[in-house]
Amino acid sequence: MTETETPGFRPLYQQVRDLLRQRISTGHWRPDEALPSESRLAAELKVSQGTVRKALDDLAAQNLVVRRQGRGTFVAAHSADRSLFHFFRLVGDDGERKLPSSRMLDCRRGMAGAAEAARLELAPGALVLRIDRLRLIRDQPAIIERIVVPQALFPGLDGPDHRPLPNTLYDLYQREYGVTIGRAAEQLKAVGASPEDAELLHLRTGAPLLEIDRLALDLDGRPVEWRLSRCVTEHLHYAAELA
Amino acid sequence: MTETETPGFRPLYQQVRDLLRQRISTGHWRPDEALPSESRLAAELKVSQGTVRKALDDLAAQNLVVRRQGRGTFVAAHSADRSLFHFFRLVGDDGERKLPSSRMLDCRRGMAGAAEAARLELAPGALVLRIDRLRLIRDQPAIIERIVVPQALFPGLDGPDHRPLPNTLYDLYQREYGVTIGRAAEQLKAVGASPEDAELLHLRTGAPLLEIDRLALDLDGRPVEWRLSRCVTEHLHYAAELA
DNA sequence: GAGTGGTCTAGACCACAGC
DNA sequence: CTGTGGTCTAGACCACTCG
């Protein structure tokens, strides 16, 4: 734990942070599990407690870890709550967060098309799983979503064990496959409803829909899921904070 | 600088942070001006340098201050660049950031309507300034925006000095009126183009538009500007990062 | 070289959770 | 009571900027 050449200088706490990040992302500690205490880690790594503290604070700032005074430091877990709160930004116009229910439309494997392979960084012809769902808010059809994931990452996701799939997938990815979604990039557009959209959503063709194109990445920045949603924003909006 | 009763306990560094924040938001130090060094502040406030450091790091995390190693700590300024980078999330589908030009459509004072007074937290009947602009990207009409600000905050903004208004307003608010936009909340919807929208944007009535409803707040969280934009997202998208 | 922020350490004490 | 994270201090040294 001592590398202090001036060219290629890298602060100690960053080395510690990256080491801990690696241990977390490889499952050395499981979600919701407590890490060793600051003093234990300091002793193990032969650095001062302050250095460990700074590393852990960094990880906490990236939501990789949760610190609780008097209890310990825990690997962040994707509860259904957190999935919703963090990755579902559609809010009712009255300010209430609506959690939608899901109706599976289709779920099948196939070879990745050019666009899918590009977004998910797959070799051409790799297998993917495509899930089409209709999502209802207060029993009204509100969102159509197409989810594409690499088949190799989630074997058995389309098997009989997983009918029906749960409402929030990210905690399932984490719990059952050890894949933690770390961040996501969304691209929003306004589009007109296709005839198929229109029928499923009880609208007229060409009605304005909010299209959300999301690419979700794991903790190491590898693309894991591509999701394309079309939303009726009659009584909903997408909320964003600019800070 | 010593208050350590257990009920109502408040960490020292937070007290320092809030004091510094206050000095910044009241203009005691101007944008782009350097703050006193850590050691000077520590001496002045009779706390240790580490405590000042933690306070300043907090302010830097909130983009209120910029720290530059070897040079000093500076009050964050809204350059046109930063305004764009931070508060303009529309990106070309090729990934390039397009900066739009503006064509003023209308600019006049009036009494705040119910919705305007509510959003801007004004007394009913207070005066507001309404600015309508058409924004062009590569000379193509792309966005219609209606900006509403309290007249009292920006006297003379509609005067002859400010025709034409600059492309980015936030740096002008800061430079000329001492009003710094600290954060903004946006609500996005898909809507159909009204006949007026359609004419200005060269579209058919009912064409899908991305509507961005933004409320911008100053450093103390007071609402300062309400902006309603309708965007053609044919070759554009709104980019959001979920982390 | 002088001054600034950035890192690292060591130690003391405080607030909080749980036994 | 013990152990945890959170705060505060004091001091040493490093990397960077500028004159």
Side-chain angles (χ1 to χ4, degrees):
Chain A
M1 239 357 165
T2 36
E3 289 173 46
T4 327
E5 307 93 270
T6 54
F9 163 76
R10 196 103 171 304
L12 237 194
Y13 77 92
Q14 287 183 16
Q15 301 175 36
V16 172
R17 158 167 54 70
D18 295 348
L19 174 65
L20 297 179
R21 198 212 311 279
Q22 194 181 351
R23 285 196 187 165
I24 291 170
S25 87
T26 59
H28 181 293
W29 298 304
R30 316 287 327 200
D32 266 330
E33 188 179 343
L35 272 61
S37 73
E38 294 180 354
S39 51
R40 255 183 255 282
L41 286 169
E44 184 208 334
L45 303 175
K46 300 205 177 47
V47 299
S48 84
Q49 181 176 345
T51 301
V52 172
R53 159 169 295 273
K54 188 153 192 191
L56 288 173
D57 283 344
D58 257 34
L59 295 175
Q62 297 166 50
N63 296 313
L64 241 162
V65 120
V66 178
R67 318 201 70 185
R68 287 193 243 273
Q69 181 170 161
R71 299 188 51 202
T73 302
F74 302 82
V75 178
H78 273 169
S79 65
D81 265 10
R82 179 176 136 75
S83 287
L84 271 181
F85 187 76
H86 233 78
F87 292 107
F88 189 76
R89 310 263 278 233
L90 289 173
V91 183
D93 285 340
D94 51 11
E96 269 182 55
R97 225 174 188 86
K98 323 281 188 186
L99 66 168
S101 57
S102 305
R103 205 177 83 204
M104 170 86 72
L105 298 175
D106 195 29
C107 177
R108 59 179 64 179
R109 307 182 204 188
M111 264 181 32
E116 291 166 336
R119 297 301 297 275
L120 293 171
E121 294 174 15
L122 296 173
L127 285 178
V128 294
L129 189 63
R130 298 190 190 90
I131 303 169
D132 291 327
R133 298 198 294 183
L134 177 66
R135 312 202 67 173
L136 312 161
I137 291 180
R138 272 203 248 145
D139 297 325
Q140 294 296 311
I143 307 171
I144 292 176
E145 70 184 5
R146 148 73 56 101
I147 297 172
V148 185
V149 294
Q151 158 72 20
L153 267 183
F154 303 105
L157 185 63
D158 56 343
D161 298 347
H162 283 119
R163 294 184 184 278
L165 284 171
N167 220 325
T168 60
L169 289 176
Y170 289 0
D171 51 337
L172 178 114
Y173 294 166
Q174 186 182 58
R175 222 176 31 247
E176 313 237 334
Y177 297 97
V179 173
T180 298
I181 303 298
R183 61 191 185 87
E186 296 192 328
Q187 304 185 346
L188 282 70
K189 276 176 178 288
V191 300
S194 72
E196 298 77 27
D197 294 337
E199 189 183 338
L200 285 161
L201 295 171
H202 304 160
L203 296 170
R204 66 181 197 292
T205 298
L209 295 177
L210 181 66
E211 179 182 270
I212 307 177
D213 176 321
R214 174 197 293 175
L215 188 67
L217 314 173
D218 71 8
L219 293 178
D220 299 319
R222 280 186 296 258
V224 164
E225 182 206 75
W226 181 26
R227 188 181 291 219
L228 197 67
S229 310
R230 288 197 175 81
C231 317
V232 183
T233 53
E234 199 77 38
H235 304 103
L236 285 179
H237 61 261
Y238 179 98
E241 285 285 332
L242 312 189
Chain B
M1 240 356 167
T2 37
E3 290 171 44
T4 326
E5 307 93 90
T6 54
F9 163 76
R10 195 98 173 306
L12 237 194
Y13 77 92
Q14 287 183 17
Q15 301 175 36
V16 173
R17 160 170 47 74
D18 294 348
L19 173 65
L20 298 178
R21 197 210 314 276
Q22 195 181 351
R23 287 197 187 164
I24 291 170
S25 86
T26 59
H28 180 291
W29 298 304
R30 316 288 327 202
D32 266 330
E33 187 179 344
L35 273 60
S37 72
E38 295 181 352
S39 50
R40 257 184 253 282
L41 286 169
E44 184 208 332
L45 302 175
K46 300 206 178 45
V47 299
S48 84
Q49 182 178 343
T51 301
V52 172
R53 161 169 294 272
K54 186 151 193 192
L56 287 173
D57 283 344
D58 256 35
L59 295 174
Q62 297 166 52
N63 297 312
L64 241 161
V65 121
V66 178
R67 319 201 69 186
R68 286 194 243 272
Q69 181 170 165
R71 301 187 50 201
T73 302
F74 302 81
V75 178
H78 274 170
S79 66
D81 264 11
R82 179 176 135 74
S83 287
L84 271 182
F85 188 75
H86 232 79
F87 291 108
F88 188 76
R89 310 261 278 231
L90 288 173
V91 182
D93 284 342
D94 53 10
E96 268 182 56
R97 229 176 186 84
K98 324 281 188 186
L99 65 169
S101 57
S102 305
R103 204 177 84 205
M104 169 86 73
L105 298 175
D106 194 29
C107 176
R108 59 180 62 179
R109 308 181 203 190
M111 265 181 31
E116 291 165 337
R119 295 303 294 278
L120 293 171
E121 294 175 14
L122 296 173
L127 284 177
V128 295
L129 188 63
R130 298 190 190 90
I131 303 169
D132 291 327
R133 299 198 293 182
L134 177 66
R135 313 202 67 173
L136 312 161
I137 290 180
R138 273 202 246 144
D139 298 324
Q140 294 296 311
I143 307 172
I144 292 175
E145 69 184 7
R146 149 72 57 99
I147 296 173
V148 185
V149 294
Q151 158 70 20
L153 268 183
F154 304 105
L157 186 62
D158 56 344
D161 297 346
H162 283 117
R163 292 184 187 279
L165 284 170
N167 218 325
T168 60
L169 289 175
Y170 290 179
D171 51 337
L172 177 114
Y173 294 166
Q174 186 182 58
R175 222 176 31 247
E176 313 237 334
Y177 298 98
V179 173
T180 298
I181 303 299
R183 61 191 184 88
E186 296 192 328
Q187 303 186 346
L188 282 70
K189 277 176 178 289
V191 301
S194 73
E196 298 78 26
D197 294 336
E199 189 183 337
L200 285 162
L201 295 171
H202 305 161
L203 296 171
R204 67 181 196 292
T205 299
L209 295 176
L210 181 64
E211 180 182 89
I212 306 177
D213 175 320
R214 174 198 292 175
L215 190 66
L217 314 174
D218 71 8
L219 293 178
D220 299 318
R222 281 186 295 259
V224 164
E225 182 206 75
W226 180 28
R227 188 182 288 220
L228 198 66
S229 309
R230 288 196 176 79
C231 318
V232 183
T233 53
E234 199 77 38
H235 304 103
L236 286 178
H237 62 260
Y238 179 98
E241 285 286 332
L242 313 189

